[in-house]
Amino acid sequence: MRQAVILAGGLGTRLAARLGDLPKALVDVDGEPLLGRQLRLLQAHGFTDVLLLVNHRKEAIEAFLRQVPFAGLRVEVIEDGEARGTAGAVMAAGAHLSERFLVVYGDTLLDVDLTAFWEAHLAAGAEGTLFLHPNDHPHDSDLVAIDEARRVRAFLPKPHPAGSYRRNLVNAALYVLEKRLVMAYRPGPGLSDFGADLFPALLKAGHSLHAYVSFEYIKDIGTPERLDRAVGDLRSGKVARARLDVPQQAVFLDRDGTLNHDSGHIARTEDLLLLPGVPAAVRALNRHEFRCIVVTNQPVLARGEASAADMEQIHARLETLLGQEGAYLDALYLCPHHPDAGFAGEVAALKIRCACRKPGTGMIDRARHDFRIDPTRSWIVGDRTADIEAGRRSGLTTILLQTGAGGGDRHCDVIPDFEVADLPEAAWLITQGHGALLALLAPVLDRVNAGALVTISGQGRAGKSLVGALLRLGLRQRGRGAVSLSLDRWLKAESARPAAGTVEDRYDLSAATTCLAPWLDGGTLEARLPVYDRIARAPVASANHVRIEAEDVLLLDGVIAHRLAAPGRPRLRLFVRVDEAERVARLEKEYITFRGMDRAAFDALYRARVDDEIPLVDAARATSDWCVDLSAMTLEGMP
Ligand SMILES: [Zn+2]
């Protein structure tokens, strides 16, 4: 026998207009009474007995149950008539309770794997297990603090003191309880609620409560607005997509330099400062149903510079700052290890070579298991090559940012799938850009021959490398080999350019031709490509190893990319343009925000670049087969 208690005592005053003559439990949710939906879910998860606690209209509910039988489910309706609060109502029905039971609130729409929830309770050997989840308004929600072992530590009712930092975990009102736990509670006078009274009192009395954190759909539909939203979620498939047995799409997020300013190793709470636009970016990912999962190397723990409690506070601040703007994280995994000994105050046990420190994939592996993540629909965003390498090893699509380390570290020999300025641009690419642009570029993808050289020209920061990266992704999705490279790898050091030089003088085109010659001549290329450091404005000693098969498509972007000669290769020329205001904004971000150039110097550079580039760019446009306009989202060219 497996018992569930449904708390359906509410009068449904706020839903009165939707109920007509019906009790609240029978409110219509997209063509089916809510109670019917709940009973079907219980039935599907092997529940045999349901105790339905109501305060009025018992006969209407019994009439419904006679009309719609639920095979294998014994439903007992108990009308109390007394307002006792949620815990009070369950205690009053004590004589009917099994040793262990599930509690469902009668005004929640849920599609939760109740078997997994029940089994987690058993596996933890808990007296009570609470279903918790993050939400998009933690500042005005009652929060629950838990520890690493998933034990509930405290109940933190709203309002939250100004300046306090708390993890974003909310009681979703779904529990598995042992009867002995409930009966151990001695209620005071008046109403007794689980969240406000019984759980906090039992916690205080030394009882242990287990936390079950999940992204599955469970929402209160007690007002017309919430009901309409839930119906919308049902119809759009959002409810079904959040099921535990459905593979999930995720965005793995690095922390320092991606979400927050990378101000060395953060050991104090106040040092965590979000980068511009980060909450809105995470919120967009949330709304597009990407599980947002932070994976962060925190060697400060191994070095003894911060304790686990310090780190918990830092992450409480991170989640509080995000939550204030309606954004939340689904999970956060951290690697506390560090391989090199020799720091004063270090923690010996954490001084190990582990599998979780990025570029290791240990944290991603755990999340993939915990969330059933489909890597082919998932992404990683970070500012370091270790993030990109960890993502590449895990089969994720990778995005390197210019924030933080600026991709300037060369720790790992890896080329990201995309390189964008910051998390807001990455979130746009993930949620909208890549789908829309792949659709836009479909006619080009149809026309690219195997072994073709596709050169992509346009002004600086017009989006050439974005188009190259998307074409590469599109070709790979069609099962075709493709490599995307930027001619910027062959930029000359600032000091090696002639004083009054033109765009062409900035590039070492002959070096590029020599390097790529084996492939340009029709063969396979195995080479070490130069790396240009945009911050230092000079080539650096390290290199990226690359292999281009003879039949691969090479996508090469650069202002003068069309100039590259490849007599032995089929050829396609693309031109990319964007509205000047958008291009200027990107240039400003690169030169002023990331490189610290002052406004006057930027204006001078901008004017010089425009004068210098225009004739070349016009010529490139005239010889192009296709023109992609990234502002208008149009493609013009070959019939
Ligand atoms: Zn580790």
Side-chain angles (χ1 to χ4, degrees):
M1 141 171 205
R2 193 181 277 192
Q3 188 184 48
V5 179
I6 300 180
L7 292 164
L11 296 177
T13 321
R14 289 179 300 175
L15 276 178
R18 303 293 177 90
L19 288 170
D21 202 26
L22 294 169
K24 189 180 179 186
L26 296 181
V27 65
D28 180 83
V29 182
D30 200 24
E32 187 178 0
L34 179 59
L35 178 63
R37 292 180 177 274
Q38 293 186 337
L39 292 175
R40 268 200 299 120
L41 183 71
L42 292 167
Q43 196 182 24
H45 285 282
F47 284 81
T48 53
D49 289 80
V50 175
L51 215 53
L52 190 58
L53 307 183
V54 302
N55 272 326
H56 70 141
R57 304 295 317 278
K58 181 183 178 182
E59 74 296 337
I61 287 172
E62 283 179 332
F64 166 72
L65 292 169
R66 275 194 303 276
Q67 231 175 18
V68 187
F70 292 87
L73 214 53
R74 280 183 298 277
V75 185
E76 189 178 353
V77 187
I78 299 178
E79 187 169 274
D80 190 321
E82 195 85 27
R84 302 176 190 276
T86 51
V90 171
M91 294 182 77
H96 302 267
L97 295 174
S98 301
E99 288 312 303
R100 177 178 305 124
F101 53 90
L102 177 84
V103 176
V104 181
Y105 285 35
D107 57 359
T108 53
L109 176 70
L110 71 165
D111 194 348
V112 169
D113 184 337
L114 298 173
T115 307
F117 182 41
W118 187 273
E119 280 168 4
H121 171 82
L122 295 180
E127 289 184 283
T129 298
L130 280 60
F131 187 108
L132 307 177
H133 57 190
N135 75 7
D136 59 9
H137 53 98
H139 44 276
D140 62 4
S141 301
D142 297 333
L143 299 172
V144 182
I146 69 172
D147 66 15
E148 268 188 30
R150 308 238 146 184
R151 279 181 305 248
V152 174
R153 279 287 163 231
F155 290 87
L156 308 164
K158 61 184 178 183
H160 302 289
S164 65
Y165 302 124
R166 290 166 172 187
R167 296 298 290 268
N168 180 350
L169 272 181
V170 177
N171 178 357
L174 183 69
Y175 322 119
V176 180
L177 301 174
E178 301 290 313
K179 182 178 178 181
R180 67 172 193 278
L181 175 80
V182 175
M183 291 307 171
Y185 176 58
R186 296 281 160 263
L191 306 182
S192 285
D193 279 315
F194 280 113
D197 308 302
L198 182 139
F199 290 143
L202 290 178
L203 202 61
K204 218 170 162 187
H207 290 273
S208 165
L209 296 169
H210 181 63
Y212 183 83
V213 181
S214 174
F215 56 83
E216 294 162 278
Y217 195 93
I218 172 165
K219 284 209 167 117
D220 162 23
I221 56 162
T223 67
E225 301 73 45
R226 289 180 195 157
L227 174 58
D228 291 344
R229 216 174 307 142
V231 169
D233 292 342
L234 274 172
R235 289 183 181 167
S236 73
K238 182 177 178 179
V239 177
R241 282 192 296 273
R243 287 169 57 109
L244 218 50
D245 58 0
V246 173
Q248 299 295 309
Q249 50 181 15
V251 177
F252 291 92
L253 297 161
D254 168 52
R255 196 191 80 181
D256 302 329
T258 297
L259 296 175
N260 54 275
H261 287 275
D262 189 357
S263 49
H265 292 297
I266 294 177
R268 291 180 316 163
T269 312
E270 282 64 30
D271 291 344
L272 185 124
L273 300 167
L274 294 182
L275 286 160
V278 160
V282 175
R283 194 171 62 224
L285 296 172
N286 294 148
R287 292 192 176 162
H288 282 81
E289 300 169 42
F290 284 93
R291 307 301 157 209
C292 293
I293 299 172
V294 171
V295 285
T296 176
N297 289 351
Q298 290 303 331
V300 286
L301 291 163
R303 291 180 192 160
E305 293 161 21
S307 66
D310 296 335
M311 197 54 70
E312 180 64 22
Q313 263 312 101
I314 289 167
H315 292 149
R317 176 171 158 100
L318 171 63
E319 294 196 351
T320 301
L321 296 177
L322 289 173
Q324 282 164 356
E325 298 189 51
Y328 61 88
L329 304 172
D330 289 280
L332 191 152
Y333 297 82
L334 71 83
C335 163
H337 308 113
H338 194 261
D340 308 324
F343 294 86
E346 66 190 17
V347 182
L350 298 177
K351 281 287 172 183
I352 57 165
R353 279 185 194 285
C354 63
C356 46
R357 183 173 164 79
K358 294 175 290 185
T361 60
M363 292 186 281
I364 296 172
D365 295 342
R366 267 168 58 209
R368 276 177 68 172
H369 172 265
D370 294 348
F371 286 79
R372 201 186 163 98
I373 286 163
D374 174 2
T376 65
R377 292 188 297 136
S378 298
W379 304 68
I380 189 166
V381 185
D383 67 317
R384 291 178 182 272
T385 55
D387 302 314
I388 302 310
E389 176 61 10
R392 189 194 63 80
R393 291 180 192 173
S394 301
L396 307 170
T397 305
T398 60
I399 305 182
L400 184 67
L401 304 182
Q402 287 174 21
T403 45
D409 83 275
R410 281 164 288 275
H411 184 64
C412 303
D413 173 13
V414 63
I415 301 174
D417 294 314
F418 293 94
E419 216 172 328
V420 302
D422 51 17
L423 188 63
E425 283 191 18
W428 173 82
L429 179 65
I430 293 168
T431 59
Q432 299 171 50
H434 108 279
L437 289 167
L438 273 178
L440 180 71
L441 294 169
V444 179
L445 290 166
D446 291 340
R447 302 290 284 268
V448 180
N449 295 314
L453 172 66
V454 179
T455 46
I456 305 164
S457 183
Q459 280 182 286
R461 294 282 127 188
K464 301 183 293 294
S465 56
L466 175 66
V467 168
L470 281 158
L471 288 171
R472 172 179 163 271
L473 204 68
L475 287 167
R476 292 196 163 208
Q477 283 171 0
R478 293 168 183 228
R480 302 178 50 190
V483 173
S484 165
L485 295 175
S486 175
L487 203 58
D488 286 1
R489 288 179 177 276
W490 290 278
L491 276 167
K492 295 176 190 164
E494 188 116 302
S495 56
R497 302 173 193 169
T502 63
V503 185
E504 288 149 295
D505 297 323
R506 297 210 300 272
Y507 290 89
D508 192 342
L509 198 60
S510 72
T513 308
T514 306
C515 181
L516 299 172
W519 185 87
L520 293 172
D521 293 343
T524 292
L525 173 79
E526 182 119 33
R528 293 175 64 74
L529 302 180
V531 177
Y532 182 81
D533 186 320
R534 276 195 297 246
I535 307 294
R537 313 191 78 172
V540 289
S542 63
N544 286 132
H545 175 261
V546 71
R547 184 182 167 89
I548 313 178
E549 304 295 337
E551 65 276 16
D552 282 353
V553 173
L554 174 58
L555 304 143
L556 186 75
D557 66 82
V559 181
I560 60 163
H562 288 358
R563 295 276 176 97
L564 194 76
R569 289 281 174 185
R571 192 73 192 257
L572 210 60
R573 292 174 179 83
L574 261 68
F575 184 82
V576 178
R577 81 162 297 278
V578 71
D579 287 350
E580 193 59 7
E582 206 172 324
R583 199 178 75 86
V584 171
R586 288 188 204 154
L587 285 164
E588 284 174 345
K589 208 184 250 183
E590 173 165 1
Y591 286 94
I592 299 175
T593 310
F594 293 135
R595 297 193 196 176
M597 190 178 272
D598 66 47
R599 169 59 59 179
F602 172 80
D603 289 344
L605 176 109
Y606 171 71
R607 278 193 305 274
R609 282 280 171 91
V610 169
D611 292 347
D612 182 21
E613 282 180 0
I614 289 289
L616 258 172
V617 167
D618 285 348
R621 181 168 196 161
T623 57
S624 289
D625 303 301
W626 299 86
C627 176
V628 186
D629 187 323
L630 292 176
S631 295
M633 289 294 277
T634 55
L635 178 73
E636 285 169 26
M638 294 166 98

